[in-house]
């Protein structure tokens, strides 16, 4: 029997798409998260907390390939350093990691933590692969849903996004995980770039809501970076196929987008 591939965060938005692909390629999969999940055919769930390191050593034991997706709002640098330490001790020979487009260019605490997480992987001594991706459609949808809970929606001027399909990110991650360690590979971004106002218009139309808008300016260096498109993929990035409009037409809460 093959050694299992450990997928941290395999119960998350992207992880849920990757796990079946690794299984379909014939590999047993061990999924690591804090809350666990229901087992499947040759899928086992282990619970561990990457932020504290609790229960991490046994979770990594007997594994040679790790796909690291677990992440949260804070502490991805620490979580990744903990994983890297345990993976090194377990003799892991390929560590694939997802990061975010612009991790090296947007000056926010969150992006700095993503960049430090990348550095932990790069400096681990374990052969590695890192893919940076833009925001997945599901995340953009939840962001717009949260924004429109307010009667007046603040709309940051100059903010653009390049939403990409979670299943396409997952397919690329599966390919990279099953391949040879490749270092920092070209980013994966969505096929189109939209202003935040445009995304909001589409979302409101699709959900049948009406909202007043309040233009706001993101302050400081981070605001400048966003207005300059530091969160968007550079030329040469790979682009997905499924558009935001196609995703929204299927997923929007009430009526589809025309
Ligand atoms: N979503 C995007 O648009 C996007 C774009 C680019 C990069 N990324 C990166 O891709 C990764 C996955 O994103 P996602 O959207 O799939 O995330 P998600 O839906 O929020 O899922 C996060 C996963 O990580 C697990 N997790 C979180 N904290 C953990 C901890 N301390 N210890 C162990 N497991 C933990 C969660 O399970 P439990 O809660 O049960 O622990 C869950 O399985 C993240 O690193 C994210 O920064 C995401």
């Amino acid at each position: 029997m093959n050694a299992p591939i450990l997928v941290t965060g395999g119960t998350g938005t992207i992880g849920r798409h990757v796990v079946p692909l690794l299984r379909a390629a014939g590999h047993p999969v061990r999924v690591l998260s804090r809350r666990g999940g229901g087992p499947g055919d040759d899928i086992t769930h282990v619970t561990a907390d990457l932020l504290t390191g609790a229960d991490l050593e046994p979770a990594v034991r007997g594994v040679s390939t790790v796909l690291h997706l677990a992440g949260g709002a804070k502490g991805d640098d620490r979580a990744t350093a903990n994983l890297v330490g345990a993976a090194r001790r377990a003799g892991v020979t390929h560590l694939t990691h997802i990061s975010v487009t612009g991790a090296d260019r947007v000056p926010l605490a969150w992006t700095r933590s993503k960049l430090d997480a990348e550095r932990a992987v790069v400096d681990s001594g374990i052969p590695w692969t890192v893919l940076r991706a833009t925001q997945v459609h599901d995340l953009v949808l939840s962001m717009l849903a949260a924004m429109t809970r307010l009667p007046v929606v603040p709309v940051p001027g100059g903010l653009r996004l390049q939403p990409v399909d979670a299943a396409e990110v997952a397919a690329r991650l599966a390919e990279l995980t099953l391949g040879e360690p490749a270092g920092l590979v070209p980013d994966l971004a969505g096929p189109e770039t939209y202003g935040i106002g445009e995304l909001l218009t589409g979302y409101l139309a699709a959900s049948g809501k009406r909202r007043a808008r309040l233009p706001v300016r993101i302050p400081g260096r981070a605001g400048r970076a966003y207005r300059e498109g530091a969160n968007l993929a550079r030329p040469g990035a790979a682009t997905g196929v499924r558009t935001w409009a196609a995703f929204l037409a299927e997923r929007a809460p009430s009526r589809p987008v025309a």
Side-chain angles (χ1 to χ4, degrees):
M1 158 98 67
N2 293 332
I5 295 175
L6 180 70
V7 182
T8 75
T11 56
T13 309
I14 297 170
R16 277 194 295 269
H17 291 279
V18 183
V19 169
L21 299 177
L22 298 174
R23 278 294 305 122
H27 298 273
V29 175
R30 189 184 294 170
V31 174
L32 182 158
S33 66
R34 288 165 302 185
R35 287 170 291 176
D41 175 32
D42 258 340
I43 300 172
T44 53
H45 285 264
V46 290
T47 53
D49 188 340
L50 292 177
L51 280 172
T52 62
D55 301 322
L56 191 47
E57 301 288 333
V60 181
R61 203 170 291 144
V63 160
S64 55
T65 301
V66 175
L67 171 57
H68 175 38
L69 305 174
K74 270 187 180 176
D76 282 1
D77 46 353
R78 183 155 41 99
T80 303
N82 285 337
L83 175 70
V84 159
R88 200 189 297 116
R89 290 188 288 280
V92 166
T93 54
H94 186 188
L95 173 57
T96 298
H97 174 51
I98 183 165
S99 184
V100 65
T101 294
D104 54 339
R105 290 176 284 156
V106 178
L108 284 175
W110 173 71
T111 40
R112 264 194 296 275
S113 150
K114 298 302 284 180
L115 190 61
D116 286 345
E118 287 184 17
R119 287 187 180 130
V121 170
V122 171
D123 296 340
S124 65
I126 302 169
W128 58 275
T129 303
V130 170
L131 172 70
R132 293 176 180 157
T134 55
Q135 285 66 43
V136 301
H137 292 137
D138 314 67
L139 179 71
V140 174
L141 187 66
S142 353
M143 199 180 89
L144 292 166
M147 284 166 74
T148 55
R149 273 188 211 116
L150 301 168
V152 178
V153 182
V155 183
L159 175 62
R160 287 165 292 155
L161 296 176
Q162 221 171 345
V164 64
D165 201 68
E168 292 174 0
V169 176
R172 179 69 175 132
L173 286 167
E175 176 187 37
L176 292 167
T177 303
L178 298 175
E180 293 298 315
L184 181 64
V185 300
D187 290 22
L188 178 55
E192 288 171 28
T193 300
Y194 304 87
I196 189 75
E198 208 180 336
L199 291 168
L200 187 61
T201 300
Y203 176 79
L204 289 173
S207 55
K209 290 184 187 172
R210 284 168 177 269
R211 291 289 183 272
R213 298 172 190 226
L214 178 68
V216 294
R217 186 178 169 81
I218 309 174
R221 288 172 54 230
R224 190 172 336 120
Y226 276 117
R227 286 187 291 279
E228 290 171 1
N231 60 315
L232 305 175
R234 294 184 171 104
T239 47
V241 173
R242 192 171 182 227
T243 62
W244 163 252
F247 169 85
L248 190 59
E250 279 173 30
R251 288 288 301 277
S254 62
R255 35 185 142 122
V257 172

